[in-house]
């Protein structure tokens, strides 16, 4: 394994843990844990590339988004235990729009800087975008139900919002449908239509290096995923106090800051592989991660909220969150129709993300 300069930042992992145990200042913990996320994400990226080279971009991308979303699921679960349902929902929305607009946008920009255009599997990418469209319908309909029968949508708030038992049971039923749909989507892409979504291509060795074995790549990916989870949990625990000194709202923290940190691994990997002109893998990671959050992570959190925590979490989002989801998913479906990308499309995606970030900041 190559010793990249970024791995030297790994020294901040034990430093962040030590500072957390010593109850140091929130700002210091925030900075050290953020630096500690970088090398673990880089390690995850290298392991994912090795897996993709041996098993194809479909499985490689799936493993990456699964390990990458694990920290977010863990962090959100602990937030549920504290009754912070609105922060959890904000982080869910932030993760979906962040992967579509920020990660995919940065990948297209970096990958297209030295190339006229890049190509990816249009059918596979559009199928994942279509799954996102299904998820959008499922995530928005409980809010429409609440708007019609309750007369209003929830306001931007950190505190838990109570809804009627009907809305809570509706959210649970929708969550189960989404989980079943996601599982069937895995069967479709990795079994019945494996050749379309996961074409196997033998990669040549680069710079005289021997390729990793499958066992080594999976082991490294798992270790990196655990380290990302530890660093993310420490970082998120220090965000509220550190952000309050900067005058940031809890809503902005959940929808922007927590989402970016929780998906640091996918951010790093997608941009890195796009720079190497592997857009199939980059698109699988960016769009696939959004689909996994919408169809699996979010509904699993709803189910868990009925078993743990201070009360059920309903799939009723506020107006800002619904608007952001709507535009992000529509953009994803539009961009995946052509099967090609360029750097200017990446700039446009990043511009939309910045606009949404500004709106969330002043919300």
């Amino acid at each position: 394994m190559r010793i990249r300069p970024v791995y030297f930042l790994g020294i901040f992992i034990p430093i962040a843990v030590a500072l957390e145990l010593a109850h140091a200042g929130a700002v210091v913990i925030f900075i050290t844990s953020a630096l500690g996320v970088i090398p673990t994400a880089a390690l995850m990226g290298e392991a994912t590339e090795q897996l993709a080279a041996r098993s194809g971009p479909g499985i490689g991308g799936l493993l990456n988004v699964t390990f990458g979303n694990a920290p977010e699921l863990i962090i959100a679960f602990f937030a549920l235990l504290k009754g912070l349902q609105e922060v959890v929902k904000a982080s869910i929305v932030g993760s979906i729009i962040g992967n579509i607009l920020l990660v995919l946008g940065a990948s297209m920009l970096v990958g297209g800087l030295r190339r006229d255009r890049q190509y990816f599997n249009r059918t596979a990418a559009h199928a994942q975008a279509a799954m996102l469209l299904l998820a959008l319908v499922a995530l928005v309909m409980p809010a429409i139900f609440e708007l019609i029968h309750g007369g209003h949508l929830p306001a931007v708030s950190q505190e838990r919002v109570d809804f009627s038992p009907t809305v809570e049971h509706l959210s649970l039923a929708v969550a189960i449908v989404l989980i079943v749909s996601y599982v069937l989507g895995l069967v479709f892409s990795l079994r019945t239509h494996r050749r379309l979504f996961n074409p196997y291509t033998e990669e040549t060795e680069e710079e005289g290096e021997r390729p990793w074995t499958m066992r080594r790549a999976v082991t490294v990916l798992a270790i990196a995923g655990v380290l990302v989870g530890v660093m993310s949990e420490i970082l998120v625990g220090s965000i509220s106090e550190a952000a309050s000194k900067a005058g940031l709202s809890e809503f902005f923290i959940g929808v922007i800051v927590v989402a970016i940190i929780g998906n640091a691994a996918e951010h790093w990997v997608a941009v890195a592989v796009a720079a190497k002109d592997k857009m199939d893998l980059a698109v699988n990671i960016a769009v696939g991660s959004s689909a996994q959050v919408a169809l699996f992570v979010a509904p699993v959190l709803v189910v868990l909220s009925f078993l743990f925590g201070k009360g059920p979490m309903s799939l009723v989002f506020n107006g800002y969150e619904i608007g952001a989801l709507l535009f992000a998913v529509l953009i994803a479906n539009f961009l995946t129709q052509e099967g090609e990308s360029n750097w200017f499309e990446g700039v446009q995606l990043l511009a939309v993300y910045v606009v949404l970030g500004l709106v969330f900041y002043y919300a």
Side-chain angles (χ1 to χ4, degrees):
M1 184 175 68
R2 289 172 291 178
I3 303 299
R4 299 176 178 176
V6 69
Y7 292 147
F8 291 109
L9 292 176
I11 188 62
F12 287 101
I13 296 176
I15 291 176
V17 174
L19 290 174
E20 173 70 10
L21 295 176
H23 303 288
V27 175
V28 177
I29 294 177
F30 178 86
I31 295 174
T32 54
S33 56
L35 291 173
V37 170
I38 297 174
T40 55
L43 185 62
M44 183 174 287
E46 188 166 357
T48 300
E49 286 188 63
Q50 294 289 337
L51 281 174
R54 288 186 169 275
S55 58
I59 294 177
L62 174 63
L63 287 171
N64 178 264
V65 299
T66 300
F67 281 102
N69 285 327
E72 185 174 3
L73 180 59
I74 295 171
I75 293 168
F77 175 70
F78 283 110
L80 281 178
L81 295 180
K82 297 179 181 179
L84 301 176
Q85 283 93 339
E86 296 307 309
V87 174
V88 172
K89 287 191 285 187
S91 67
I92 290 172
V93 173
S95 180
I96 295 173
I97 66 174
N99 280 293
I100 296 174
L101 301 176
L102 177 61
V103 179
L104 188 58
S107 299
M108 289 181 174
L109 173 60
V110 173
L113 284 177
R114 294 179 296 175
R115 304 174 180 90
D116 180 57
R117 63 187 66 188
Q118 292 181 289
Y119 299 93
F120 53 87
N121 189 321
R122 178 177 61 182
T123 304
H126 193 58
Q128 289 183 318
M131 291 175 65
L132 269 175
L133 196 59
L134 160 69
L136 175 66
V137 175
L139 294 176
V140 170
M141 286 309 298
I144 295 178
F145 182 91
E146 173 65 20
L147 182 62
I148 293 175
H149 295 277
H152 61 85
L153 290 176
V156 175
S157 173
Q158 177 194 6
E159 299 178 356
R160 179 176 180 270
V161 179
D162 292 320
F163 296 98
S164 67
T166 302
V167 175
E168 294 175 350
H169 294 152
L170 172 62
S171 298
L172 178 60
V174 169
I176 294 174
V177 172
L178 288 177
I179 293 174
V180 172
S181 175
Y182 180 72
V183 172
L184 293 178
L186 293 180
V187 174
F188 177 74
S189 60
L190 299 179
R191 186 174 180 84
T192 64
H193 290 68
R194 178 188 177 94
R195 292 183 178 180
L196 174 63
F197 286 82
N198 196 53
Y200 180 85
T201 55
E202 187 69 33
E203 296 284 339
T204 57
E205 296 181 15
E206 297 181 2
E207 302 177 3
E209 293 187 14
R210 297 181 60 184
W212 294 6
T213 63
M214 182 70 75
R215 181 178 181 180
R216 179 186 179 187
V218 172
T219 301
V220 171
L221 190 59
I223 294 173
V226 171
L227 292 175
V228 169
V230 172
M231 288 296 97
S232 298
E233 184 175 357
I234 294 175
L235 192 148
V236 170
S238 64
I239 280 180
S240 295
E241 184 178 346
S244 63
K245 297 180 180 179
L248 299 177
S249 66
E250 294 289 340
F251 175 66
F252 182 83
I253 292 172
V255 78
I256 299 294
V257 181
V258 174
I260 291 177
I261 294 166
N263 291 283
E266 293 108 305
H267 298 173
W268 179 282
V269 176
V271 175
V273 297
K276 298 180 180 180
D277 202 22
K278 300 178 181 179
M279 279 305 292
D280 264 334
L281 182 55
V283 172
N284 274 338
I285 292 172
V287 181
S289 182
S290 292
Q292 188 180 72
V293 171
L295 293 167
F296 183 74
V297 174
V300 163
L301 289 171
V302 171
V303 174
L304 290 176
S305 71
F306 276 80
L307 303 175
F308 307 96
K310 298 182 179 181
M313 183 181 77
S314 300
L315 287 175
V316 179
F317 297 92
N318 64 49
Y320 293 110
E321 294 167 336
I322 292 175
L325 284 173
L326 176 62
F327 291 122
V329 172
L330 290 179
I331 289 172
N333 276 268
F334 177 77
L335 289 180
T336 54
Q337 290 179 356
E338 297 180 351
E340 61 181 56
S341 63
N342 55 64
W343 68 267
F344 185 62
E345 288 180 335
V347 171
Q348 291 174 312
L349 288 176
L350 293 174
V352 174
Y353 187 75
V354 171
V355 170
L356 292 178
L358 291 172
V359 173
F360 296 150
Y361 176 80
Y362 288 104

